Every structure is written in structure tokens, then in C-alpha cells.
Amino acid sequence: MTFIWQTGIGIGNIILSSIIITLLYALFFVLFYVVVKRKYAFILLGFSFACTIVGFLFTLTAVVAISVAMLASLVTICVFTNIGDARKFLSNPFKRTNAKPINFGVEKIFDQGELLDTVTKAIKNLSATRTGAIITFEKSTSLKDIIKNGVPVNAPVSEELLTTIFFPGTRLHDGAVIIHGDQIVAASVFFTPTTKPFAGKYGSRHRAAIGVSEVSDAITVVVSEETGRISFAVNGELEIVSPDKFRRVLENYIGYKEE
């Protein structure tokens, strides 16, 4: 067995190659830590790094080739299985989890309990009549750029307005309604749908709701026009709730505390 320094390669080249290998794996480690956050990824990454170092030191070309192929396969698998997290990271890579909410001028003080009552009544009505709907509650992540593709409304939230917007045949019934505070800021807003594979059949509204939840902290409610089923899309996941439990779940996601 021959060591790398016994092959006649200059010590400078050996050091440079070692630094490049270490930096490459450090880069992938940071990528997996920020985006993937899966234990198996770190285990495989560490094993691949160890194989590469051993193969490099003992001039085992086959081992180095296999470990590099393992790394390439790991990166490919992680990208495709975590595409939603990758989209969220790439859309705002410097976002802090403790960042302060983005203000839209002077925030209006409103009765949050009354807002929840109004939205709950509208959702139950839409569910009972099997009227498809998608309503997004904007939180700390600004949706201004997404709102631009919709129709400005800037009207107070009301049960009548929400049910009218989503009534089949109306001009605004396609797309989402975005609520900021107690105002409907826009309707007929279209989100980029998720590319994440899901078990079961999900329509365009559900995929759009999951898509916006992958790139923001917004809370999105979806009503299925086929079954009347109510779902929440949060952090790239879909949660189905019954009409009776809807308000309680919405309170938890919005962070409402009854005085």
C-alpha cells in the first residue's frame, strides 16, 4: 500500500488537495444543516468524507471514486426529497426565525376574536355548500410580491364578501384571498404550486396552498369543492380539520389569546 506522500507528488499539492476536499465537504455540511436537517444525510455525508480521506491518503482510487459517487447521489436525493425546504431557503436565505414582523405602515388595532368568528362562519358556509376556496393569512413574511399578480380589494373581512368572492362563476373565485390584519388586501392571487409528492389526490388549490407555505410563514385555509373538506397548509404540510375544530386550530396558528 502506498501513501500519497510516497508517490512523488509535492507536499504543497497534497496540502492544497486536502484543503479543497475539506472545504467542499464543509460546504455540503452547511447546505444540509440549513436546508435538509435530516440525520441520515449527516451520517452518509460523514461516511463519504471519511472514505474520501482514507482513499486519498492511501491512494485508493476506487475508494475515492465510490465515495464521490456516493456524495453525488446523496446530494441528488436530498434535493429532490426536500425541494420544498430548498425553495423556502432560496427565496430568503438570510431570514431569521426571530425576525420582527414586517409592518405595512401604521398597523390598525382590531378585534381579533371578531375576525376569527367572521372567518369561521364563512369557512363553515363554504364547506357546507362545497364551494372551493383558498384563504391566506399573512404573518411576518411579506407577500407583497405575490399579491401583485392578484386583484386589489382592500376591504374589511366579512362573511358575505368572502362567500361572494368564491361563488362559482364570479370573476375573482379562482385564486386565493390574502388577509392582512382584518383586511382583505387582494383576491384572485395565484401561488406557485408545490412540487412535493403527496400520497392521495390533491387539487390545484391544495398544491398552491402548500406552495406558499413552503416559502413563507403564512397560514392558508383550503376548502375542497369536491368534498367540502377543510385543510390548513402550514410549513409545507397539510392538516385536515373538521368544521367544529376549525376555529380552535386557526386560533393556535394565528396565535390568538382570549382576554
Side-chain angles (χ1 to χ4, degrees):
M1 183 178 294
T2 303
F3 291 99
I4 186 67
W5 51 82
Q6 295 175 331
T7 59
I9 300 176
I11 189 67
N13 290 331
I14 294 175
I15 294 175
L16 179 61
S17 298
S18 301
I19 293 174
I20 292 174
I21 291 174
T22 303
L23 289 177
L24 177 64
Y25 275 90
L27 175 64
F28 282 113
F29 179 85
V30 171
L31 176 66
F32 290 162
Y33 177 79
V34 175
V35 179
V36 180
K37 299 178 182 177
R38 300 288 191 272
K39 179 185 279 189
Y40 75 86
F42 292 106
I43 294 175
L44 291 177
L45 183 65
F47 181 71
S48 176
F49 177 68
C51 289
T52 302
I53 292 299
V54 171
F56 178 71
L57 293 177
F58 292 93
T59 63
L60 302 174
T61 307
V63 173
V64 174
I66 293 173
S67 61
V68 171
M70 183 189 305
L71 175 63
S73 301
L74 175 62
V75 172
T76 303
I77 292 171
C78 286
V79 167
F80 280 99
T81 57
N82 298 275
I83 190 67
D85 295 328
R87 283 182 59 212
K88 189 171 184 177
F89 170 72
L90 292 174
S91 67
N92 193 356
F94 303 107
K95 181 181 180 240
R96 296 173 298 165
T97 55
N98 61 345
K100 295 182 179 179
I102 297 174
N103 292 323
F104 290 74
V106 178
E107 291 292 331
K108 176 184 174 183
I109 299 176
F110 61 94
D111 188 336
Q112 197 174 39
E114 183 179 348
L115 172 67
L116 291 171
D117 288 337
T118 301
V119 173
T120 299
K121 291 177 182 177
I123 290 296
K124 286 184 176 181
N125 186 7
L126 293 167
S127 175
T129 58
R130 295 188 180 183
T131 303
I134 173 171
I135 301 173
T136 296
F137 296 85
E138 186 177 38
K139 296 186 72 179
S140 64
T141 305
S142 175
L143 300 178
K144 283 185 176 180
D145 291 336
I146 299 177
I147 289 173
K148 291 177 182 178
N149 74 58
V151 177
V153 176
N154 297 318
V157 175
S158 70
E159 178 186 356
E160 294 77 16
L161 182 54
L162 287 174
T163 53
T164 299
I165 287 175
F166 291 111
F167 188 80
T170 59
R171 184 180 171 216
L172 302 179
H173 85 282
D174 282 332
V177 159
I178 294 183
I179 295 176
H180 176 78
D182 66 340
Q183 298 284 308
I184 298 176
V185 294
S188 194
V189 179
F190 290 89
F191 302 136
T192 301
T194 183
T195 57
K196 185 187 296 185
F198 284 93
K201 181 180 179 182
Y202 291 100
S204 57
R205 284 191 180 91
H206 292 85
R207 291 193 168 276
I210 296 169
V212 73
S213 74
E214 290 174 339
V215 298
S216 72
D217 62 352
I219 308 301
T220 301
V221 181
V222 185
V223 179
S224 170
E225 64 181 349
E226 294 182 359
T227 63
R229 182 179 60 191
I230 303 171
S231 306
F232 280 91
V234 183
N235 294 326
E237 302 295 335
L238 205 62
E239 177 185 356
I240 300 172
V241 299
S242 66
D244 294 336
K245 296 180 180 179
F246 172 79
R247 176 177 169 128
R248 186 168 71 245
V249 176
L250 181 59
E251 287 178 358
N252 292 334
Y253 282 134
I254 296 299
Y256 171 71
K257 294 182 179 179
E258 189 174 359
E259 297 180 357

